[in-house]
Amino acid sequence: MGVRFTGVGAATPTQTLTNAHLSALVETSDEWIRTRTGITQRLIAAPDQRLVDLAAEAAMSALAMANLDATAVDLVILATSTPDDLFGTACLVQTRIGATNAVAFDLTAACSGFIFGLVTAAQYLQTRTYRSAIVIGADILSRWVDWHDRRTCILFGDGAGAMVLQASDVDQLLSFELRSDGRLNEHLTLSFQGNTQPLCDAVAIAQGSFAPIAMNGREVYRFAVTQVPEVIEKALHRAHLSADDIDWLVLHQANQRILDAVADRLGVPAHKVISNVSQCGNTSAASIPIALTTPLQQRQIERGDLIATAGFGAGLTWGAALFRWG
């Protein structure tokens, strides 16, 4: 009873926001941003571009690589923190791609969302409840960035990535480790901000919207460079493997300094670390599948390669998964 990974796809906006653009908005510079984050640009959704547009495009690309018709998909999981509709966007993606036989739902775990979604989908396949699934990580964080806060506006971009999973007699998901710690929630938030509105003498409610993203960068960095290597090591231990066995390390593309620090703590050489953060910025739940798409399409990653992935972010949540491609 296992699962194999058969297709990936990505979709990114065409608008490019460079460090030079940001220097006209806030007190910053290209050198300041690159030194601290490794980012030179980020891709930003147009005003008329919806999350469902990006998510569906990524999903269709992944299905094409897997050579799987959408009607054969049993499960659609959309990992996002920025839905088009707070009641859920997965069903809109389901109908857009023509997955008429699939059940669909949203999953929210911020920048860890794709890993959490991948592990969730695998449980349905490993128990033979379903035969095929597509997991999509998609976010339009530009909707919720304070573009005058240089601590956050330099980081985030928009995009979507997807992966197709199919039931198999051989399990290519070798192990995983998922964690959450709400005690650290305050360090990275996109929280509801309401104003009191009386309805009648005895009843009042709060109505409002969500405040922009707020982040304690120092604490998030400290958390990531200590906790992420630990969950990867635990996943390796469960699979009776070591860091030397990793062919590719694909982390949530939050910050190049974090990628370098985690790889260094694991002893993974730089040529095994996949990074596109310089061109895409931090795309939250979309970052891991987007990062995987180009090297898989170009066959840089080969069938049977061991991929170590890890996501980390708001919640705070973090998790790792080990799998072999193909």
Side-chain angles (χ1 to χ4, degrees):
M1 298 288 188
V3 57
R4 62 191 180 103
F5 304 86
T6 58
V8 293
T12 52
T14 57
Q15 289 193 128
T16 301
L17 186 69
T18 67
N19 291 347
H21 292 140
L22 283 174
S23 67
L25 293 175
V26 294
E27 185 179 346
T28 189
S29 67
D30 176 64
E31 181 183 6
W32 192 90
I33 296 171
R34 284 189 293 106
T35 300
R36 287 158 178 79
T37 70
I39 298 170
T40 60
Q41 66 174 40
R42 61 285 304 136
L43 305 175
I44 302 297
D48 62 349
Q49 195 163 34
R50 299 191 301 159
L51 189 81
V52 65
D53 300 328
L54 293 169
E57 182 181 342
M60 291 300 293
S61 179
L63 288 168
M65 178 184 281
N67 194 28
L68 184 69
D69 191 273
T71 57
V73 175
D74 300 309
L75 173 66
V76 176
I77 296 178
L78 174 62
T80 186
S81 300
T82 57
D84 292 329
D85 184 333
L86 279 179
F87 285 154
T89 300
C91 291
L92 295 176
V93 176
Q94 176 230 22
T95 194
R96 178 76 68 87
I97 67 176
T100 53
N101 298 311
V103 63
F105 60 85
D106 289 24
L107 181 153
T108 302
C111 301
S112 305
F114 182 75
I115 295 297
F116 279 45
L118 201 69
V119 171
T120 299
Q123 310 312 301
Y124 288 99
L125 302 183
Q126 289 169 334
T127 58
R128 291 296 192 268
T129 303
Y130 297 129
R131 297 289 303 177
S132 60
I134 185 160
V135 178
I136 308 159
D139 273 303
I140 300 182
L141 288 173
S142 59
R143 293 170 170 173
W144 302 107
V145 169
D146 178 353
W147 291 102
H148 299 288
D149 176 8
R150 77 169 186 172
R151 296 170 299 176
T152 56
C153 74
I154 64 173
L155 296 173
F156 297 106
D158 305 328
M163 181 176 285
V164 174
L165 295 73
Q166 294 178 262
S168 172
D169 292 333
V170 177
D171 199 358
Q172 293 180 333
L173 178 61
L174 305 183
S175 63
F176 63 87
E177 179 78 12
L178 304 180
R179 296 287 186 86
S180 302
D181 189 346
R183 294 172 298 178
L184 304 176
N185 177 266
E186 64 183 12
H187 296 314
L188 182 51
T189 61
L190 201 175
S191 56
F192 176 76
Q193 194 169 59
N195 297 311
T196 300
Q197 179 177 325
L199 296 182
C200 59
D201 290 342
V203 179
I205 60 168
Q207 284 195 327
S209 185
F210 290 89
I213 295 169
M215 182 176 68
N216 183 334
R218 180 173 297 181
E219 289 302 321
V220 172
Y221 176 87
R222 184 181 302 169
F223 146 75
V225 299
T226 56
Q227 298 302 319
V228 174
E230 179 182 308
V231 290
I232 294 174
E233 288 172 342
K234 285 185 178 295
L236 286 165
H237 179 73
R238 284 207 180 99
H240 306 291
L241 296 168
S242 73
D244 292 338
D245 296 308
I246 296 172
D247 293 304
W248 303 101
L249 180 63
V250 188
L251 303 174
H252 163 51
Q253 306 288 296
N255 178 312
Q256 188 62 48
R257 290 174 59 210
I258 293 176
L259 305 188
D260 293 341
V262 172
D264 183 64
R265 293 198 179 203
L266 291 169
V268 175
H271 71 269
K272 292 185 175 184
V273 181
I274 293 176
S275 173
N276 66 0
V277 68
S278 66
Q279 299 301 303
C280 297
N282 177 343
T283 56
S284 190
S287 74
I288 290 174
I290 291 176
L292 277 167
T293 296
T294 296
L296 278 166
Q297 289 177 339
Q298 296 178 350
R299 305 200 176 192
Q300 182 182 359
I301 298 175
E302 299 179 347
R303 186 172 182 176
D305 280 358
L306 177 65
I307 301 171
T309 61
F312 50 92
L316 293 179
T317 58
W318 65 108
L322 300 179
F323 63 91
R324 296 198 181 275
W325 177 253

